[in-house]
Amino acid sequence: MLFRSVLMERLDQGALTLTPEVAVVIVAQLGQEIVRFRRRFEAHGSIGGHAVALGLDGAVALVPPLPKAPPDEVYMSPERRLGLPKSHPDDAFSFASLGIELLRRCGAEASTWGPLTPLLQTDPRRRSLDIERASSELRVCGERGGLDATARHVARPVRLLAAEREKPL
């Protein structure tokens, strides 16, 4: 598994470029993983940073939060910044924040990430919690924009990064 922080680091350095298709697939699959996690457990509370793992087979996995690990402040919801406990609205905000950042960095059209914006409401009582719907609509928007959002494009960049990490220092 390859962690998101490595992926974002390589994107920042210009050492890796991802197509919008890859970003759409990663974000949509992450949304589905969050939905599965929420059905089994309570709120995640730490989406971002090291919470996303990409497999060599193209799978996207949500890494369970580490006990007592602080949440990734970059993607933290306004209520978490005020010290409130983790919640489903917080997870929705963090997912959308992370997803939009990845889509922007990969050159996706603004209309592509439109389904994620209802999850970014600053008031948690007005924020959409429907991550499953947002993920599905993200794929549809990508496809309407000409992207192949159904293909599993994730494996190739993960293999490139994994090969890079195996090189001796």
Side-chain angles (χ1 to χ4, degrees):
M1 290 289 197
L2 185 72
F3 289 96
R4 185 206 157 273
S5 60
V6 174
L7 177 69
M8 296 304 255
E9 180 182 298
R10 295 299 184 266
L11 288 172
D12 288 343
Q13 295 169 350
L16 178 71
T17 56
L18 298 179
T19 64
E21 285 94 344
V22 173
V24 167
V25 172
I26 289 172
V27 175
Q29 287 184 8
L30 174 61
Q32 297 305 316
E33 284 295 306
I34 293 169
V35 169
R36 281 191 279 281
F37 183 89
R38 286 175 24 175
R39 286 182 184 144
R40 293 186 311 247
F41 306 104
E42 59 186 32
H44 189 280
S46 190
I47 295 170
H50 293 293
V52 182
L54 305 176
L56 291 173
D57 62 352
V60 178
L62 180 66
V63 177
L66 299 171
K68 298 185 182 181
D72 191 331
E73 291 186 19
V74 174
Y75 308 107
M76 192 184 296
S77 67
E79 62 271 18
R80 286 283 284 184
R81 290 179 190 276
L82 294 173
L84 295 176
K86 64 184 178 179
S87 65
H88 292 301
D90 171 56
D91 284 351
F93 185 94
S94 297
F95 163 67
S97 195
L98 173 68
I100 290 172
E101 179 185 353
L102 182 60
L103 290 162
R104 281 183 180 163
R105 287 185 187 203
C106 296
E109 298 286 327
S111 60
T112 305
W113 64 74
L116 300 178
T117 57
L119 305 173
L120 285 176
Q121 283 287 330
T122 54
D123 182 349
R125 295 174 303 226
R126 295 180 58 213
R127 187 177 306 142
S128 171
L129 301 179
D130 199 345
I131 293 174
E132 187 168 21
R133 181 177 180 170
S135 298
S136 297
E137 288 180 5
L138 174 65
R139 282 187 190 272
V140 170
C141 283
E143 289 166 355
R144 259 191 262 139
L147 303 179
D148 178 5
T150 60
R152 299 204 44 159
H153 299 287
V154 178
R156 185 168 183 242
V158 172
R159 287 187 181 132
L160 288 172
L161 288 173
E164 174 188 310
R165 292 181 67 135
E166 291 174 1
K167 292 178 184 174
L169 297 176

